[in-house]
Amino acid sequence: MEPNELERAAKLIEENESVIIFGHQWPDGDAIGSLLGLGIALSRAGHAVQASWPAPLELPHKYEFLPGLDLLVEPDEVEPAGLAIAVDCANAERLQELKAPATGARDLVNIDHHPDNSRFGTVNLVDPGSSATAEIITRNSGALGIVLDGDSALCLYAGIVTDTGRFQFTNTTAETLECASRLVSLGVEPHAVYENVYQSDSLAYIRLTGEVLTNAVYDEELGLIYGCVMQADLESFGVKMNETEELIDDLRALKGHRVAALFKELRDGTIRVSLRSRIDCDIGTVARNLGGGGHRVAAGYTSGAGGIESAVRELKDEIVASGGNTGCR
Ligand code: 5GP
Ligand code: MN
């Protein structure tokens, strides 16, 4: 990250009273934690803050304990503002219907840690070496002129915990732990995040997990383990799709696997595919080749409406085709 980008971002924040902060559709813990953590800090510094993400503006239950939810504004009710800030978004397309207000603002600060970030902001705080967007915000809060308190720290901590798999993924560094330590010093209680985020599943979700894992398939030749969440499963178990963010981690427990995939059938019939891989396999490139993106070991894309079988075939073909370059084969 260029040092003068930080200075430019700090100046834009100082100069603009009204700020819109955007996350990506189906936000994860990092997008939500970054959005709320930054939103709380700016709002307490006297800015008029609107925070949003592309419809539906549904918050997964496990993040309802976070402060700052009063900052959330339905995407079609977002009012123009002088400054827009995108968090955890690799490209402007991920903002969908919010792309217009985001790029319509005088300036757009793009804060993200995806290696394939398209630098779509007028100022880009992009650091692929950071475990989470929340880590970038925490580490650079001083340089950005942002004061963190217990509430903003709690949101940012939740972002770091979820994007690092509770400090266990390969993206966890000494700097990550230093940032987490600072947030704990500001009053965050790690067990509170654990209880709310990781001990708050409904019985319905636990039963759905049982079904998905029972039907999971392991392709030993490719080292690919995959499972499917269909609309019919969600209906019969009474679970919302946004509750299934962590389900892919259960598939990753399998000894010897190389790639884990979770195929999720959306209401319109298209299939969202979540991918995870071992460090020697670049699943981000596989996802990019299929129209999506992400990190080396955590990525995703949207497959067409051809059904699960064709989506599975498409993924296997891509793993075989790009396997030599990506190390996934
Ligand atoms: P998840 O499986 O949790 O939805 O996504 C894993 C990672 O891949 C996240 O960092 C997410 O931002 C990225 N990702 C998922 N889907 C897409 C996509 O369609 N496009 C891009 N560029 N990145 C994606
Ligand atoms: Mn992230």
Side-chain angles (χ1 to χ4, degrees):
M1 199 190 307
E2 307 285 325
N4 73 340
E5 292 288 277
L6 275 171
E7 274 167 38
R8 288 178 62 211
K11 192 158 176 283
L12 287 173
I13 290 171
E14 196 191 342
E15 283 170 1
N16 282 282
E17 199 260 331
S18 65
V19 182
I20 330 174
I21 310 175
F22 300 116
H24 55 78
Q25 195 183 29
W26 309 116
D28 57 6
D30 185 29
I32 294 167
S34 298
L35 185 93
L36 296 176
L38 187 59
I40 290 169
L42 294 184
S43 150
R44 293 189 180 164
H47 296 269
V49 175
Q50 306 173 81
S52 194
W53 59 78
L57 191 76
E58 281 170 14
L59 189 73
H61 290 305
K62 59 183 166 188
Y63 298 117
E64 279 167 4
F65 75 105
L66 291 175
L69 302 182
D70 55 309
L71 301 172
L72 294 177
V73 177
E74 286 292 339
D76 57 358
E77 290 170 14
V78 167
E79 305 274 350
L83 178 63
I85 303 179
V87 293
D88 207 40
C89 294
N91 52 63
E93 282 61 48
R94 296 217 82 200
L95 294 169
Q96 303 192 14
E97 74 264 34
L98 288 167
K99 195 179 163 187
T103 48
R106 242 186 340 267
D107 281 287
L108 172 59
V109 176
N110 162 21
I111 312 180
D112 185 38
H113 68 131
H114 290 96
D116 52 351
N117 186 288
S118 67
R119 268 75 176 173
F120 60 91
T122 51
V123 174
N124 298 289
L125 307 181
V126 176
D127 177 18
S130 286
S131 66
T133 301
E135 180 182 325
I136 301 178
I137 296 169
T138 305
R139 178 155 3 88
N140 298 296
S141 58
L144 291 170
I146 292 168
V147 178
L148 301 179
D149 63 7
D151 284 343
S152 44
L154 177 59
C155 298
L156 294 168
Y157 184 87
I160 296 175
V161 165
T162 52
D163 251 24
T164 58
R166 315 179 213 182
F167 306 110
Q168 290 178 34
F169 293 161
T170 50
N171 56 3
T172 307
T173 64
E175 288 75 29
T176 311
L177 296 168
E178 276 162 21
C179 285
S181 163
R182 227 189 104 205
L183 297 172
V184 171
S185 302
L186 284 164
V188 175
E189 294 176 316
H191 79 88
V193 174
Y194 171 62
E195 284 172 17
N196 281 288
V197 177
Y198 296 105
Q199 292 192 306
S200 64
D201 291 338
S202 64
L203 191 57
Y205 170 75
I206 290 173
R207 300 243 191 270
L208 170 75
T209 304
E211 175 86 0
V212 173
L213 297 182
T214 298
N215 295 320
V217 177
Y218 184 47
D219 180 325
E220 221 171 326
E221 204 197 324
L222 289 181
L224 169 70
I225 180 160
Y226 62 91
C228 309
V229 183
M230 308 300 286
Q231 285 294 320
D233 300 324
L234 297 177
E235 271 161 41
S236 71
F237 284 88
V239 173
K240 281 188 174 173
M241 190 61 96
N242 71 12
E243 290 175 63
T244 65
E245 185 193 322
E246 308 283 336
L247 214 166
I248 189 156
D249 289 325
D250 294 322
L251 295 169
R252 302 172 87 182
L254 179 70
K255 182 174 177 154
H257 84 280
R258 300 179 57 70
V259 178
L262 186 64
F263 295 86
K264 302 178 180 181
E265 186 193 35
L266 303 186
R267 283 203 195 105
D268 65 2
T270 57
I271 315 282
R272 280 280 315 154
V273 187
S274 280
L275 298 172
R276 304 290 185 268
S277 67
R278 291 288 172 88
I279 188 65
D280 53 352
C281 158
D282 177 9
I283 207 68
T285 296
V286 171
R288 257 186 303 288
N289 291 346
L290 293 168
H295 310 276
R296 183 178 175 89
V297 295
Y301 63 96
T302 302
S303 187
I308 295 283
E309 270 176 38
S310 103
V312 170
R313 169 79 10 236
E314 177 186 51
L315 174 61
K316 286 185 177 178
D317 288 349
E318 182 54 41
I319 289 174
V320 171
S322 67
N325 299 326
T326 58
C328 295
R329 184 72 224 275

